[in-house]
Every structure is written in structure tokens, then in C-alpha cells.
Amino acid sequence: MYDDGNEILEMHSHIDRLTPFIEEQSKKITDDSSFAERFAFAMNQSALASKKAHLKELSKNEIREFIEVHLTGENVGVGNAPLKSVTGFLGNFQNFFYRTAQSIQYRSASTKSIPEGIKILAGLQIEALRAGSMKILLSGKSPEISLFDCEKYGIYDSLFADTVSKIFDVLSQPTADKAIEKIAGLGAYSFKAYRNLVKSIVDSRLDIDGLWYPICGETRKYKCQTEILRGFIPVLEKVRHETEFVTLVGNFTAINSESKKFKYKTEFGTSISGIFSEKTKFKLKKLRVSPLDDISYKAEFSKDNIIVYATEQIKESWTLLNAVPLQPQDDK
């Protein structure tokens, strides 16, 4: 397990370094290029194809995604760090991971307890400690979290992948305000989990480099530095999160079942947009809801307001919960 995991990471690393080099090399190959230049380019292309094929075989056997967390900072040495700092960060990271997954799955993390299903699908475990100052290799607890043949299906979608992508988006933001924009709509518990994670990093004076090695797609990165995050805390501590449930009448102007996003125009001419869950998608599909039918719908939404006192801004996010046609279904 550990050897296969490290070999997968090594293959990812080689591919990430070789791909841009070959792309640049291809731009320089012309009809006037020498035999040596063409031969070198062909050899590099062959090496890249070979590494990708090997990675595909390894991924079939391992069927896991990996998140590498590299901890540095004034209290972190080569291969050692205070236990409280490491466990504090990992515990808060896991909790933020749970809450983000819960919000993506149910479009709300409003319940105090985390569902057992989320703990299974979004649970993390330590795979290995890698060479370096303090590198921790994490993977999903469930071995079939993201097992997709990308070439066969042409898609890559799983709760685990969606969660990692969202977390990396939030953690890579340069300001607290931008991070709040990314986390808006995930619910009060998700926001609290993020705030606790930031505090644990700052309190332990850690700098974090994160790498995500997905089975399909390119490696993603984020970087968190104590000196930057320290400025986030006064903003995060002065944020109030409110959720209200709203029922409106109007028409859908756009529905994207793949990205789970919608646009809706109320009977008073107000336009709103937001997201919906897989469960709501099933309801919309069953009712054959379409922006092309020109039918009015009574729609139920949850509206999240994040009030940032430091900037006196209110950030709204809408989640579609249900929609019922006002015209009988048989008349559609």
C-alpha cells in the first residue's frame, strides 16, 4: 500500500514536470528543426506516454487519491514537529473536510452532528510520512471514493473529489474576504470549521503546502502561511451567518444539471442564481422542470446571508430545495 502510494506520487511528480517542458519543446519544432531536435522531442513524448500509462495501471491497483500536506514553520524541524501542532491541524482539517462534504452532499451543513455516511465517504487516513521536513500523505478512508475511468466515461465526479476541490479553492485564497466568498453557502458549521482550522494553523505558527494528486486531471496546490492567515482572524471573528427559508413564484431562466446551478426570475422581476443538490436534481428531473417550458413555479430556497462586520458587506447565496409547477403536470 505505502510503496504503491509513493510510486503513484512519484509518477505524478514526473508527469507534472515533464508535461510543460514538452509543451514548450513542441512550439520550437518546425520543418527546419534538426534530426537531433526531432529525435529528442520524440523520445520525451514517448517517455511521457509511458509514465502516463504506468500511472494508469498503478491507479487501477491503488484506487485512491492522495493529499500531501507539507508542514513547515518555526516549531517544525526535519521530520519532527510538536504533536499538539500536528494533531490540532489534522483534526481541524478533517472536520472542515467533513463539513464541506456534508454541504456538497446535502447543500447544507446545518445539523450539529455529522452523518455517519459522510464520515465514511469523506474520512481521511494517514497513508505514510514522506521524506522532507514534515510531509504527511493522506488518502480517503473508503477505497472506492473516486474510482472512475476518465477516458471511458469522459467525466470525473465524486464527493471526495468535489470536496478536495472546494477546500483547495478556499485555502488558496489570498484574503479573508475572498475565502468567505468561496465558503458562502456551505452553512454555519462549515464556516466555523474553517475558522477553527485557520486558528489552529496560526496558533501553532505553521506554514502549509498542500498538494492533491487526483486519479484524473492535474495536480492541484494550495499554500497557507501563518503571517497571512493571522490577518484573517479579526475578519473571521466578526462574521455572522444567517439562514432563512424562502418561497417564491417565478420562472427558471437556466438550469445546468451537470454543474447543479440555476437562474430564476421572480414574478416581481428579481433575478437570483445559485446551486442545488443531487437530491433536488432528482426532484427537478421527475417534474421535468425546464427553462424552456415557460411555466411558473412555486420554488423553495434556502438563503444564506454572511454578514462581514469588518467590511459591512452582506454576501448572499441561494440553494434551490424544491420546485412545484403552478400549471398541472398533464398540461405541460
Side-chain angles (χ1 to χ4, degrees), residues 3-64:
D3 291 340
D4 287 345
N6 279 313
E7 191 174 358
I8 287 175
L9 295 180
E10 291 300 328
M11 283 296 103
H12 269 294
S13 179
H14 287 311
I15 291 169
D16 289 343
R17 291 198 301 267
L18 194 55
T19 300
F21 174 76
I22 292 177
E23 289 175 351
E24 282 299 314
Q25 198 175 26
S26 68
K27 297 175 183 178
K28 299 176 182 178
I29 298 297
T30 66
D31 293 338
D32 298 326
S33 298
S34 66
F35 172 78
E37 290 172 326
R38 291 175 180 277
F39 181 75
F41 178 58
M43 291 297 291
N44 286 332
Q45 282 186 310
S46 177
L48 180 60
S50 176
K51 291 182 185 300
K52 286 184 175 180
H54 187 45
L55 175 62
K56 187 175 181 180
E57 288 303 312
L58 288 173
S59 296
K60 283 182 180 178
N61 296 329
E62 187 63 22
I63 58 173
R64 286 184 186 273

